[in-house]
Amino acid sequence: MINADQGKHQISKHIYGHFAEHLGRCIYGGFYVGEDNTEIPNIDGVRKDVIDALRELKIPNLRWPGGCFADTYHWQDGIGPKSERPTLVNTWWGGVTEDNSFGTHDFLNMCEQLGAEPYLAANIGSGTVRELSDWVQYVNHDGQSPMANLRVQNGRDEAWKVKYWGVGNETWGCGGNMTVEYYANLYKQYATFMSDWGNTRGIYRIAAGATNDDYHWTEVMMRDVPHSLLEGVGLHYYSVLEWTDKGPAVGFSDEQYFTTMKRALRMEELVTRHSTVMDKYDPEKKIGLIVDEWGGWYNVEEGTNPGFLYQQNTMRDAMIAGVTLNIFNNHAERVKMANLAQTINVLQAVILTDENKMILTPTYHVMKMYNVHQDATLLPIMFDNVDYVHGDEKLPALSVSASRSEDGKIHISMVNIDLEKSQTIKLNIRGMDLKDITGSILSSGSVQDHNTFDNPDRVAPKEFKDFKMSKGIITVEIPPYSVIVLNSK
Ligand code: AHR
């Protein structure tokens, strides 16, 4: 049952956010090919095909420059004349030397082209309080001040007014191997010196959050940090088979598929339990749970640099995206932002590039089909789920979320993760007489199917008509491993 005339919570568009780290070919070769590149059409060095594809996706925000890289990054090295910038060695990812040609101006100007809110992840691990407070002043202060003047001198008059800031990344690990008690103190110190510089949109500070089920981490951050200094608390969770052997991105077994789905569906438990901890200290749900890294993580493609995390993207990834986004939608009351890792050529990417070629992955198509939910009102939903059985184990086969956008249209996204069985779902739509429903489906002949540079449209959404609407009940037959979105006109 869907109560189409009810719903209290808005699905923040920022749940559909992305992440771009200086890692492998995400920035260099992915987003950025350099201003002097005459082979690949670009605007100030940023690929035009990428900008167009991400605008189509309605990308709401982009997190940068890391990840683990963020806690080695000194923003001052990436401003000013490019020929004079120092190089840096990317110690986390492949040990490659970068020339710092993609820096703060490049990223923030690119976000303007994308129509996306920037989300800057600051260096706590090897940076200083002054370095961060100067960065905030540099990008956000419109008056006369040392950093604002430096920005103007570097060619940008108007402040970018960046709202979203990460105060460290994975501070329990690559961000400094801290205890949460230590980090909570450090967080308070850094956050105190971050001003909004009169920006009426304010500043939204996101604390580096827990990994997986570390509920103690969330508890201490919520308990020990004054809420006047904290707008969001992070959470990182990847769908990984085993960290020692993550399995192949293509050519996985049915067993591995089932386990990946089990891992992906665990997001429901993690979000629920971290939210419960947050509720204890913030019953009014003012502080957001920010899942700023999520997605499938496999072994790298053969012959590629192990530090570049390049992997293909199949219908299995479409399943991860479909069920995870439904979970976030259904927890819209607490989950205010999420960032799929990572946008281009890294982990569960939405775009892959090879020199001047670019392809869209099955995950891209799911994100695009689901973008109708952005900023819509979440609708309460109840339905009888069915089991996806594999050997002695079972998982819920179906995942659904629904919303009503401002123009009154209803959107229902559905996933059937079962590898073999089609599943029928019946949804009684209450409170609204739905007419003229259109649908799209992402499905393919094999769960291993993916797009390649030679066959870029093997997996692409198609029109979907295999549903019936009678007496207020929609009956939909969902094929195995497929994603469907229905929209009322
Ligand atoms: O997304 C790749 C890496 O995964 C990030 O740099 C880090 O934050 C996480 O461990």
Side-chain angles (χ1 to χ4, degrees), residues 19 21 23 67-69 93 169-170 174 236 238 293 297 309 341-342 347:
F19 172 32
E21 180 165 12
L23 194 176
C68 295
F69 177 82
W93 306 116
N169 170 73
E170 297 193 352
C174 67
H236 287 184
Y238 287 95
E293 287 186 29
W297 191 326
L309 309 187
Q342 299 192 5
L347 299 179

Side-chain angles (χ1 to χ4, degrees), residues 292-304:
D292 44 11
E293 287 186 29
W294 68 273
W297 191 326
Y298 315 114
N299 293 335
V300 299
E301 295 303 322
E302 223 176 286
T304 64

Side-chain angles (χ1 to χ4, degrees), residues 60-93:
N61 70 69
L62 188 58
R63 177 173 182 246
W64 176 85
C68 295
F69 177 82
D71 283 289
T72 60
Y73 185 65
H74 301 284
W75 67 272
Q76 298 94 330
D77 294 343
I79 57 170
K82 296 199 173 185
S83 58
E84 293 169 21
R85 294 185 191 174
T87 57
L88 80 97
V89 179
N90 193 331
T91 46
W92 283 111
W93 306 116

